[in-house]
């Protein structure tokens, strides 16, 4: 890997090639210590040595076919992971700024990683100022990862911290989002703003004032509730009694009593009474159903 990435071009300085080869070697060692051996302290120390080795060289795109900025960012990412594993996440931003000097000079990948790290530990306020400075830098707005940083900063820093005015301003940034993304981001900001507003039930204060002014005694309030419940129960029972056919039941009971207990159908004296009863039933039948039959016959 060293030969491929650190090969010397014509006119390149051997000192620069030596520095790039050393940085790559330290990067490989730090990656192995972090991912394979799980020796986080040794991985952090190796990253620091690698960062010191590239600190004195300028970042040039085509020098030695090697970009020192990418190797520097890779070493910082390994170091951030090692610090997080050592539970030293509070000093991550300070540690990174030792090698970059200012937040706006950090790479997009490192800024993304810092935002995600402080979001995970629920300390987004630590990255609030640095992330804002990074996004305001004109040099960073042309970077490929600018949109991703803006999205993470909007969703995980500004909105959770209640900075809705700043979030709305960032959501309308055409350099970070497309037109569709801007509309969606503005809707999210407005929705979160509505959710954050305290909601009180309408008319609750008026209801409380009227209750307190009419009857502040809790014993009297309980008595009134019991009276209302009792009144409703009486109304329900009364309605049920009215709907029950007492008259019809009484008539059927009298008829059954006369037929089964007081009158013997085999006696000659019972024939006139039974005949009168049948005649009464016929009259009732005709009065109830004769119009229906006559209508059918007429049709």
């Amino acid at each position: 890997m060293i030969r491929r990435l650190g090969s010397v071009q014509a006119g390149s300085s051997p000192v620069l090639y030596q520095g790039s080869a050393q940085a790559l070697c330290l990067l490989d060692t730090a990656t192995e210590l972090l991912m394979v051996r799980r020796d986080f302290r040794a991985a952090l120390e190796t990253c620091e040595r690698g960062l010191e080795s590239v600190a004195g060289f300028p970042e040039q795109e085509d020098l030695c076919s090697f970009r020192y900025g990418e190797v520097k960012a890779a070493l910082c990412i390994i170091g951030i992971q090692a610090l997080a594993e050592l539970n030293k996440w509070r000093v991550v931003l300070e540690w990174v700024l030792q090698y970059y000097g200012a937040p706006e000079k950090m790479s997009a990948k490192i800024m993304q990683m810092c935002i995600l790290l402080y979001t995970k530990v629920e300390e987004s306020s630590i990255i609030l100022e640095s992330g804002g400075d990074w996004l305001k830098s004109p040099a960073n707005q042309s970077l490929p990862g600018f949109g991703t940083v803006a999205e993470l900063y909007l969703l995980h820093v500004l909105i959770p911290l209640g900075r809705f005015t700043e979030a709305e301003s960032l959501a309308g940034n055409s350099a970070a989002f497309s037109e569709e993304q801007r509309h969606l981001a503005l809707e999210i900001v407005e929705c979160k703003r509505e959710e954050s507003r305290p909601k009180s039930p309408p008319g609750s204060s008026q209801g409380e004032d009227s209750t307190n002014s009419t009857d502040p005694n809790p014993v009297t309030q309980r008595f009134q509730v019991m009276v209302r419940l009792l009144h409703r129960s009486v109304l329900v029972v009364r309605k049920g009694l009215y709907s029950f056919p007492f008259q019809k039941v009484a008539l059927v009971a009298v008829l059954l009593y006369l037929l089964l207990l007081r009158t013997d159908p085999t006696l000659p004296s019972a024939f006139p009474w039974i005949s009168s009863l049948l005649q009464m039933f016929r009259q009732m039948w005709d009065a109830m159903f004769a119009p229906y039959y006559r209508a059918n016959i007429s049709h």
Side-chain angles (χ1 to χ4, degrees):
M1 182 174 69
I2 296 176
R3 289 182 180 180
R4 179 171 59 87
L5 295 176
S7 57
V8 182
Q9 290 184 345
S12 299
S13 172
V15 178
L16 294 175
Y17 167 72
Q18 183 180 0
S20 64
Q22 182 181 1
L24 285 172
C25 182
L26 291 174
L27 177 60
D28 291 339
T29 303
T31 304
E32 181 181 357
L33 290 171
L34 178 71
M35 305 299 296
V36 180
R37 301 184 184 180
R38 310 292 292 176
D39 190 350
F40 308 121
R41 192 173 300 277
L44 178 62
E45 294 175 355
T46 304
C47 288
E48 291 175 346
R49 291 201 304 270
L51 290 169
E52 291 174 358
S53 66
V54 298
F57 298 99
E59 296 183 9
Q60 298 184 19
E61 294 292 333
D62 54 353
L63 182 59
C64 302
S65 299
F66 181 83
R67 292 193 295 183
Y68 285 94
E70 292 186 357
V71 177
K72 184 178 181 180
L75 288 169
C76 284
I77 290 174
I78 297 297
I80 291 172
Q81 293 178 350
L83 287 171
E85 294 291 345
L86 293 172
N87 199 22
K88 295 182 178 180
W89 51 268
R90 292 179 179 84
V91 300
V92 165
L93 183 60
E94 181 182 356
W95 182 82
V96 172
L97 291 177
Q98 290 180 357
Y99 302 101
Y100 281 94
E104 55 270 18
K105 295 182 180 180
M106 295 165 55
S107 67
K109 294 180 180 179
I110 294 178
M111 182 56 67
Q112 295 171 19
M113 196 166 185
C114 289
I115 293 174
L116 293 174
L117 173 63
Y118 287 113
T119 300
K120 185 177 181 180
V121 298
E122 298 181 355
E123 292 291 343
S124 302
S125 58
I126 297 178
I127 199 67
L128 175 63
E129 184 178 357
S130 298
D133 293 340
W134 192 92
L135 290 171
K136 292 175 183 177
S137 175
N140 294 329
Q141 295 183 3
S142 59
L143 297 178
F146 181 78
T148 304
V149 174
E151 181 180 356
L152 293 175
Y153 188 74
L154 174 70
L155 297 176
H156 300 293
V157 180
L158 293 180
I159 292 179
L161 294 177
R163 302 294 187 101
F164 298 109
T165 304
E166 300 176 25
E168 189 174 5
S169 176
L170 179 59
N173 191 344
S174 59
F177 305 106
S178 62
E179 183 177 0
E180 183 179 356
Q181 290 174 340
R182 289 198 299 271
H183 288 299
L184 180 60
L186 289 173
E187 290 179 0
I188 293 175
V189 172
E190 187 63 26
C191 180
K192 295 297 182 180
R193 177 181 290 168
E194 291 295 331
E195 291 178 358
S196 65
R197 291 175 180 172
K199 296 181 180 180
S200 58
S204 60
S205 58
Q206 297 178 359
E208 292 177 359
D209 294 340
S210 61
T211 303
N212 293 333
S213 60
T214 54
D215 195 359
N217 193 351
V219 178
T220 308
Q221 292 178 359
R222 293 179 183 177
F223 179 74
Q224 290 179 354
V225 172
M226 293 177 62
V227 170
R228 293 193 193 99
L229 293 176
L230 182 60
H231 179 65
R232 291 178 183 175
S233 302
V234 171
L235 291 178
V236 171
V237 173
R238 183 180 178 183
K239 185 178 179 181
L241 291 176
Y242 279 141
S243 62
F244 192 77
F246 284 103
Q247 297 178 355
K248 296 180 180 179
V249 172
L251 178 60
V252 172
V254 170
L255 294 176
L256 291 176
Y257 173 74
L258 294 174
L259 290 173
L260 300 177
L261 299 179
R262 302 287 299 190
T263 305
D264 189 358
T266 59
L267 295 177
S269 61
F271 290 160
W273 191 89
I274 294 175
S275 177
S276 300
L277 184 61
L278 290 175
Q279 186 178 1
M280 184 180 64
F281 281 153
R282 287 195 187 115
Q283 292 177 358
M284 293 175 58
W285 181 270
D286 291 338
M288 295 174 61
F289 299 103
Y292 174 75
Y293 289 130
R294 291 170 184 170
N296 289 338
I297 291 172
S298 63
H299 285 297

